Amino acid sequence: MVRRCIVFAHTQATYPTLHTSSQRVLVTGGAGFIGSAVVRRLIRASDSQVLNVDKLTYAGNLSSVAEVETDSRYRFECADIGNRARMTRLFAEFQPDAVMHLAAESHVDRSIDGPAAFVETNIVGTYCLLETARDYWRELPDSDRAGFRFHHVSTDEVYGSLGETGRFSESSSYRPNSPYAASKAASDHLARSWRRTYGLPVIVSNCSNNYGPYQFPEKLVPLMILNAVDGLSLPIYGTGDNVRDWLFVEDHAEALTTIVNSGVPGETYNVGGNSELTNLQVVQRICELLDDMLSESPHRPHASLIEYVDDRPGHDKRYAIDAGKVRRELGWCPRETFDSGLRKTVAWYLTHRDWCKDVQRAVYQRQRLGLGKAAS
């Protein structure tokens, strides 16, 4: 698909470019949804050596990286980023040129039910990883120190909620409204402070809502697809008028590898899909696709399964990303429209029902979360 933006050339003489085509990249959370897309892209589209470090919580699954697991340039380690001794050993053994930090607890509803895990992983874990990276970076030869990068991957939810107009920019104030958003905001501040205080070459990116293949079924898009296929209720919080900017995960993975390769240490880059839709609109489009793709389904029209339920506590009204900086300075913009990406996503879930069953087994049965009760 042809890109839908003008690409601007950008060079930065102060900092050397990290050439990920031939470098060693340590990816944390590489068995998760976005992390696995990054791992797959690094192996498919470059000559990078990749170390995937993942704790394999409920949302991490090695089947998401099965297509690269036999590649000689890929290695997996089951490890907790909060284990300083283990991480120090892995850094020493792998000798990364860059760290792409995606390991995080990420589901808002689960953060409402059990915020402790979000504080432990997103804040304490990020602190431990930053310190491990700083110790490693400090001992590198001067030429390697200049080229090292620590890319901290975050969310637009740190900015809080927008009104009917405006978009989040890299200079927007932080106003997190959920335990998840607060934990990510804290980790962003830690990452930036390690840059300003210690000189660690940190780059931060904040993305809008991701969707696509391999997303754990607790999230809106896969949950609605799977429930509709099974003829189950499609629960929409409140009136469904909460607005999000939607970003296809493969586009995001391309943005992240572009940022770690060409981004400037100390800078922040917002990554969005230019696709603002209400939650109700998203679910309606899923239903329309399923009506078309499952012409024999007894549940057509699938929109008849929509049910409005009590809203999530503290539900942010609207997110929207201004991704102009990453377009102007690094030449990235999304390849997929929301409709093209959603069609690919629905088709993937329809042909990967076994994957969905496997990742949910004994962990999550599509029950409602986010009501202040302990999450499993």
Side-chain angles (χ1 to χ4, degrees):
M1 178 174 293
V2 178
R3 291 180 182 276
R4 296 173 290 111
C5 70
I6 299 173
V7 176
F8 295 83
H10 174 74
T11 58
Q12 173 53 249
T14 305
Y15 300 97
T17 296
L18 173 69
H19 299 289
T20 52
S21 61
S22 59
Q23 298 298 310
R24 294 181 297 275
V25 184
L26 189 157
V27 180
T28 71
F33 171 45
I34 302 173
S36 65
V38 169
V39 168
R40 295 191 303 270
R41 179 170 182 81
L42 286 170
I43 294 297
R44 284 195 311 244
S46 73
D47 294 326
S48 298
Q49 298 178 52
V50 177
L51 173 60
N52 176 2
V53 177
D54 198 295
K55 189 180 177 181
L56 293 182
T57 62
Y58 76 96
N61 196 294
L62 290 179
S63 63
S64 300
V65 289
E67 70 179 64
V68 303
E69 65 182 3
T70 60
D71 195 291
S72 62
R73 295 176 293 115
Y74 172 77
R75 171 184 165 192
F76 172 73
E77 287 283 340
C78 184
D80 186 343
I81 59 171
N83 185 332
R84 283 286 301 279
R86 182 77 180 280
M87 295 307 299
T88 297
R89 179 176 67 80
L90 290 175
F91 270 71
E93 291 177 356
F94 185 64
Q95 296 284 302
D97 300 298
V99 175
M100 299 182 73
H101 176 36
L102 295 102
E105 294 285 345
S106 66
H107 190 42
V108 174
D109 284 355
R110 285 183 184 267
S111 80
I112 295 170
D113 293 338
F118 290 74
V119 172
E120 185 65 30
T121 297
N122 299 356
I123 302 176
V124 179
T126 297
Y127 156 74
C128 291
L129 190 67
L130 284 165
E131 279 291 83
T132 303
R134 180 167 73 99
D135 289 345
Y136 166 78
W137 169 75
R138 203 165 42 188
E139 299 302 319
L140 289 173
D142 289 347
S143 59
D144 293 339
R145 289 180 78 243
F148 182 79
R149 297 288 183 272
F150 186 105
H151 182 186
H152 175 69
V153 180
S154 190
T155 172
D156 60 357
E157 298 197 31
V158 299
Y159 299 126
S161 186
L162 288 167
E164 293 184 1
T165 61
R167 293 183 174 186
F168 297 131
S169 73
E170 289 80 2
S171 61
S172 293
S173 299
Y174 274 39
R175 292 188 176 89
N177 292 319
S178 70
Y180 162 62
S183 69
K184 289 300 290 183
S187 67
D188 289 9
H189 292 319
L190 287 174
R192 288 195 181 94
S193 70
W194 257 243
R195 166 65 182 167
R196 292 296 298 271
T197 303
Y198 304 114
L200 185 68
V202 170
I203 304 170
V204 176
S205 63
N206 298 82
C207 68
S208 58
N209 277 42
N210 280 227
Y211 69 99
Y214 296 104
Q215 189 171 31
F216 191 80
E218 67 191 359
K219 297 299 179 74
L220 178 68
V221 170
L223 179 63
M224 295 299 109
I225 295 170
L226 297 177
N227 275 13
V229 169
D230 291 338
L232 301 177
S233 168
L234 306 181
I236 293 181
Y237 294 174
T239 61
D241 61 350
N242 300 78
V243 175
R244 300 293 182 263
D245 173 31
W246 292 91
L247 174 65
F248 189 59
V249 69
E250 299 291 344
D251 282 339
H252 189 201
E254 182 183 28
L256 295 180
T257 55
T258 299
I259 290 168
V260 76
N261 181 47
S262 303
V264 178
E267 292 294 319
T268 297
Y269 301 92
N270 279 354
V271 183
N274 300 323
S275 298
E276 282 186 60
L277 294 164
T278 67
N279 289 344
L280 178 58
Q281 287 173 324
V282 170
V283 177
Q284 288 172 332
R285 294 198 187 186
I286 290 171
C287 291
E288 290 168 1
L289 282 171
L290 289 173
D291 288 348
D292 177 51
M293 299 166 85
L294 299 177
S295 59
E296 302 302 318
S297 171
H299 310 303
R300 297 173 73 245
H302 291 88
S304 64
L305 299 170
I306 290 174
E307 177 186 359
Y308 297 94
V309 299
D310 290 342
D311 206 353
R312 164 196 290 164
H315 199 176
D316 287 339
K317 187 67 174 180
R318 175 174 171 262
Y319 303 149
I321 281 281
D322 177 357
K325 179 179 178 179
V326 71
R327 182 186 70 246
R328 292 188 304 271
E329 298 187 5
L330 305 185
W332 174 89
C333 64
R335 295 177 183 271
E336 301 290 344
T337 65
F338 180 75
D339 287 334
S340 68
L342 187 64
R343 179 171 287 275
K344 290 181 179 181
T345 301
V346 172
W348 188 90
Y349 279 96
L350 291 180
T351 56
H352 289 78
R353 296 300 304 278
D354 288 343
W355 181 89
C356 298
K357 291 177 182 177
D358 287 344
V359 300
Q360 293 176 93
R361 185 174 291 119
V363 176
Y364 175 67
Q365 301 303 318
R366 301 184 228 161
Q367 69 271 24
R368 172 75 189 271
L369 303 173
L371 296 174
K373 301 176 182 178
S376 56

